[in-house]
Amino acid sequence: MRIARFSVDGSVAFGVVEGSDGFDGAGAPRGEVTLDVIKGHPFAEFERSGRKLPLDKVRLLPPVLPNKVVAIGRNYAEHAAELGNEVPEVPVTFFKPSTSVIGPGDPIAYPSFSEDLQHEAELAVVIGRLCRDVPLERAQDVILGYTCANDVTARDVQRREQQWARAKGFDTSCPLGPWVETELGQDRIADGIAIQCTVNGAQRQLGSTTDLIRSIPELIVHVTEAMTLLPGDVILTGTPAGVGPLHDGDEVAVTIEGIGTLANKVIKRG
Ligand code: MG
């Protein structure tokens, strides 16, 4: 099941996505897609209202409003190597603030203090329940589903500054969407789903979850031994090789097999 968060007529709602799962190059779904408005909240038991809205009549929002986005760095060997880094013994872990989150179609604002903005397509795990100290065998139980993320990074700032709070935490640096897919199992992820990034339609990144160094259950154990995760919190699982620059006006799209496409435009002000 796919759960989207959207605004329509000035109010915000969740809905179950029904219809086509194909997308064109700009990330727009092909065919008739509708949203069945949810009564209740997707983190609890809910019912479908039967009130159906065409996707093109609503504005999709970030599918969740995370209290925190916990991001994992260097979780694909080829990507670590392309930036001249070793695969770390302990996963590199950092935060992207809630204020960095934007939704599908929202503009990525090129920060004034960078001259090397880059895309990082990533599989995002959406947490479904409050959890802490999750054992490996229970990790699946705390996952609501998955969505696409772009860990947009000011690479020059990341290189210059010891901590990555500015390089990876600036406003608009965390596009999420287009919705949460709740039926992507660990087996399918272990078998490999494709993670792709295009810029203006040209492929930049194409990786597979078979190359994840740490599995998603291992990452949940690692994060929750340190901190409580809340419903709607997000874990970014790292980016495959092929990261590269973004420029003013670029259309960047992250497509993950079995989930969908998250597209955003880069805008430089001033
Ligand atoms: Mg990243």
Side-chain angles (χ1 to χ4, degrees):
M1 182 167 51
R2 291 172 170 174
I3 303 172
R5 184 169 157 272
F6 59 93
S7 68
V8 63
D9 302 332
S11 60
V12 175
F14 288 93
V16 176
V17 181
E18 298 176 338
S20 161
D21 63 356
F23 294 85
D24 66 21
R30 294 190 187 97
E32 182 93 0
V33 180
T34 57
L35 294 163
D36 190 342
V37 179
I38 284 174
K39 281 199 274 185
H41 199 280
F43 295 106
E45 293 286 312
F46 65 83
E47 288 176 29
R48 298 178 187 209
S49 70
R51 182 188 169 214
K52 302 202 180 185
L53 300 167
L55 187 63
D56 58 5
K57 292 287 185 286
V58 308
R59 179 173 165 233
L60 288 181
L61 300 172
V64 284
L65 284 181
N67 171 268
K68 56 190 168 297
V69 176
V70 185
I72 305 298
R74 299 169 193 162
N75 201 26
Y76 290 81
E78 263 187 66
H79 167 64
E82 75 180 342
L83 296 182
N85 296 308
E86 302 277 314
V87 171
E89 275 196 27
V90 177
V92 177
T93 310
F94 58 96
F95 288 119
K96 290 172 86 81
S98 57
T99 43
S100 68
V101 173
I102 58 172
D106 290 340
I108 296 167
Y110 202 118
S112 60
F113 52 88
S114 172
E115 290 176 357
D116 188 11
L117 194 65
Q118 298 197 358
H119 54 82
E120 294 190 3
E122 306 200 9
L123 176 64
V125 183
V126 178
I127 298 298
R129 60 172 73 167
L130 186 147
C131 58
R132 166 106 212 251
D133 286 324
V134 178
L136 194 66
E137 63 275 15
R138 301 295 305 275
Q140 184 61 45
D141 300 347
V142 307
I143 298 172
L144 175 69
Y146 299 90
T147 192
C148 307
N150 195 343
D151 175 18
V152 183
T153 300
R155 193 71 68 200
D156 48 351
V157 180
Q158 184 189 22
R159 291 204 170 98
R160 262 195 322 258
E161 299 184 4
Q162 280 282 326
Q163 300 231 349
W164 301 347
R166 289 186 351 129
K168 285 174 170 282
F170 60 88
D171 288 358
T172 75
S173 66
C174 192
L176 293 177
W179 38 62
V180 179
E181 168 58 65
T182 64
E183 281 159 29
L184 207 54
Q186 286 307 320
D187 290 349
R188 175 129 185 245
I189 291 170
D191 286 346
I193 55 171
I195 298 174
Q196 185 187 44
C197 181
T198 63
V199 176
N200 304 324
Q203 186 174 291
R204 290 274 190 87
Q205 295 181 268
L206 179 60
S208 166
T209 50
T210 50
D211 294 327
L212 280 169
I213 294 167
R214 272 101 185 179
S215 71
I216 287 160
E218 287 170 333
L219 295 178
I220 289 172
V221 171
H222 183 69
V223 171
T224 65
E225 73 180 10
M227 69 191 77
T228 301
L229 293 178
L230 302 177
D233 278 352
V234 169
I235 298 176
L236 303 190
T237 57
T239 197
V243 299
L246 293 170
H247 300 103
D248 184 23
D250 281 350
E251 286 276 358
V252 56
V254 175
T255 298
I256 302 183
E257 192 181 352
I259 300 175
T261 294
L262 166 68
N264 299 87
K265 186 170 184 170
V266 179
I267 293 177
K268 195 166 193 170
R269 293 192 176 84

